[in-house]
């Protein structure tokens, strides 16, 4: 029996793997495009989600049926969009003042926070391996932050913001677990992306950090962010989730910090610190443990 289980009756293992690899490839360029933009972080985050909202809205005429069958699903989707907006607000701001490798490694810890929320809110069993994963995740984050602090206190601020971005992303994903089985993809992403855009605009105007793009070229960068990492990257993840078990899809996110670090070395000549590499490996191990535990729990339930 292959590693993908019964769901492979819909698509082959080869096609499923190819879909995930393409998705990871596009998502890994998010940090690079953010670094290439010279605009304010809030401006970058807003236009990425605004263009993403416009793109997914093109699919609205093709959706048949009700958007939300229950008021609770709508409220959860709205809250999910708020968390997604805060995720991009903190992560983009953090990425602007720390290294690509540190930021993407820290923001990838989001599955760990999903597991923590599962325990706190739903009282889901964490188990020994879950506790080990959380400890390893914290240890890896400490190693990354400790190394960056030796460079510049501003790098530490960026690391903290990136970690906050992971917490908000974990909250967004946690809420999505409840809604996605009952709500179709188009209504969900249009609502979530639209709300996140509004949240980013309100935050930017409230803090006085929202400004017009620094150059006309930035509009192209924002468009590419929406088209690549969001539409092609995350939408391929969502497609794979419909046809594959959650485990291979979830574990595939580990490719993002690896590829983003490679692009950072090639394009910006950013050489990650030794502590970042070690901390990153510890975090990747922690996430792998979390995903393995989720896979085991799913098999027991099924």
């Amino acid at each position: 029996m292959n590693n993908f289980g019964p769901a492979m009756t819909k698509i082959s293992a080869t096609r499923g793997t190819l879909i995930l690899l393409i998705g990871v490839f596009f998502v890994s360029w998010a940090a690079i495009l953010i670094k290439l933009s010279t605009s304010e972080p809030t401006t970058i985050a807003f236009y990425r989600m605004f263009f993403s909202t416009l793109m997914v809205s093109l699919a609205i005429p093709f959706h048949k049926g009700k958007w939300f069958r229950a008021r609770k699903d709508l409220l959860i989707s709205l809250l999910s969009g708020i968390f997604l907006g805060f995720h991009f607000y903190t992560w983009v701001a953090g990425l602007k003042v720390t290294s690509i490798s540190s930021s993407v490694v820290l923001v990838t810890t989001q599955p760990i926070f999903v597991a923590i929320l599962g325990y706190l809110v739903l009282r889901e069993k964490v188990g020994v391996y879950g506790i080990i994963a959380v400890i390893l995740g914290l240890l890896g984050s400490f190693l990354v932050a400790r190394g960056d602090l030796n460079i510049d206190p501003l790098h530490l601020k960026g690391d903290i913001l990136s970690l906050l971005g992971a917490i908000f992303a974990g909250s967004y994903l946690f809420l999505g677990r409840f809604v996605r089985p009952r709500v179709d993809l188009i209504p969900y992403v249009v609502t979530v992306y639209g709300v996140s855009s509004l949240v980013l605009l309100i935050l930017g105007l409230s803090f006085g950090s929202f400004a017009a793009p620094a150059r006309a070229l930035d509009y192209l960068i924002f468009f590419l962010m929406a088209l690549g990492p969001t539409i092609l990257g995350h939408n391929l993840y969502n497609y794979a989730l419909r046809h594959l078990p959650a485990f291979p899809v979830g574990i595939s996110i580990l490719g993002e910090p690896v590829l983003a670090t490679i692009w950072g070395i090639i394009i910006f000549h950013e050489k990650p610190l030794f502590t970042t590499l070690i901390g990153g490996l510890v975090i990747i191990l922690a996430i792998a443990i979390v995903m393995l535990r989720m896979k085991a729990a799913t098999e027991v339930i099924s």
Side-chain angles (χ1 to χ4, degrees), residues 206-225:
S206 299
F207 298 146
S209 58
F210 186 81
R215 343 163 261 186
L217 178 62
D218 278 15
Y219 284 108
L220 174 61
I221 293 175
F222 302 151
F223 174 80
L224 292 176
M225 280 185 207

Side-chain angles (χ1 to χ4, degrees), residues 254-276:
L254 298 179
E256 180 185 353
V258 176
L259 288 178
T261 298
I262 293 173
W263 308 148
I265 294 172
I266 295 173
I267 297 172
F268 299 106
H269 307 292
E270 280 192 6
K271 294 183 179 179
L273 298 174
F274 179 73
T275 49
T276 301

Side-chain angles (χ1 to χ4, degrees), residues 15 21 29 34 55 110 127 134 139 142 148 161 163 168 183 188 194 238 257 274 281 300:
R15 185 180 175 189
L21 288 176
W29 282 95
I34 290 170
M55 289 178 186
Q110 50 199 261
V134 172
L139 175 61
F142 171 79
D148 283 347
L161 286 170
L163 201 55
F168 287 125
V183 178
Y188 181 70
N238 283 313
F274 179 73
L281 289 174
V300 169

Side-chain angles (χ1 to χ4, degrees), residues 164-238:
L164 282 173
I167 294 173
F168 287 125
S171 302
Y172 153 73
L173 292 172
F174 178 74
L175 291 175
R177 288 173 53 189
F178 297 97
V179 178
R180 283 295 289 117
R182 300 187 300 273
V183 178
D184 292 337
L185 178 62
I186 292 175
Y188 181 70
V189 294
V190 170
T191 301
V192 169
Y193 290 177
V195 171
S196 67
S197 302
L198 181 60
V199 167
L200 288 163
L201 180 61
I202 292 173
L203 288 173
L205 294 175
S206 299
F207 298 146
S209 58
F210 186 81
R215 343 163 261 186
L217 178 62
D218 278 15
Y219 284 108
L220 174 61
I221 293 175
F222 302 151
F223 174 80
L224 292 176
M225 280 185 207
L227 180 62
T230 305
I231 301 301
L232 295 177
H234 288 287
N235 278 8
L236 282 178
Y237 280 169
N238 283 313

Side-chain angles (χ1 to χ4, degrees), residues 77-156:
S77 298
L78 293 174
L79 184 58
S80 181
I82 292 173
F83 280 129
L84 185 62
F86 276 100
H87 157 68
F88 282 115
Y89 180 79
T90 50
W91 180 52
V92 175
L95 179 60
K96 279 295 186 179
V97 292
T98 191
S99 67
I100 291 172
S101 55
S102 295
S103 180
V104 292
V105 162
L106 290 170
V107 83
T108 307
T109 59
Q110 50 199 261
I112 297 175
F113 294 107
V114 173
I116 293 174
L117 285 170
Y119 170 74
L120 294 176
V121 178
L122 302 177
R123 293 301 175 186
E124 294 177 342
K125 292 182 180 179
V126 175
V128 175
Y129 289 108
I131 295 173
I132 292 174
V134 172
I135 293 174
L136 287 175
L138 294 174
L139 175 61
S141 300
F142 171 79
L143 289 173
V144 172
R146 186 69 182 84
D148 283 347
L149 180 60
N150 291 333
I151 300 178
D152 183 356
L154 196 59
H155 276 65
L156 178 60

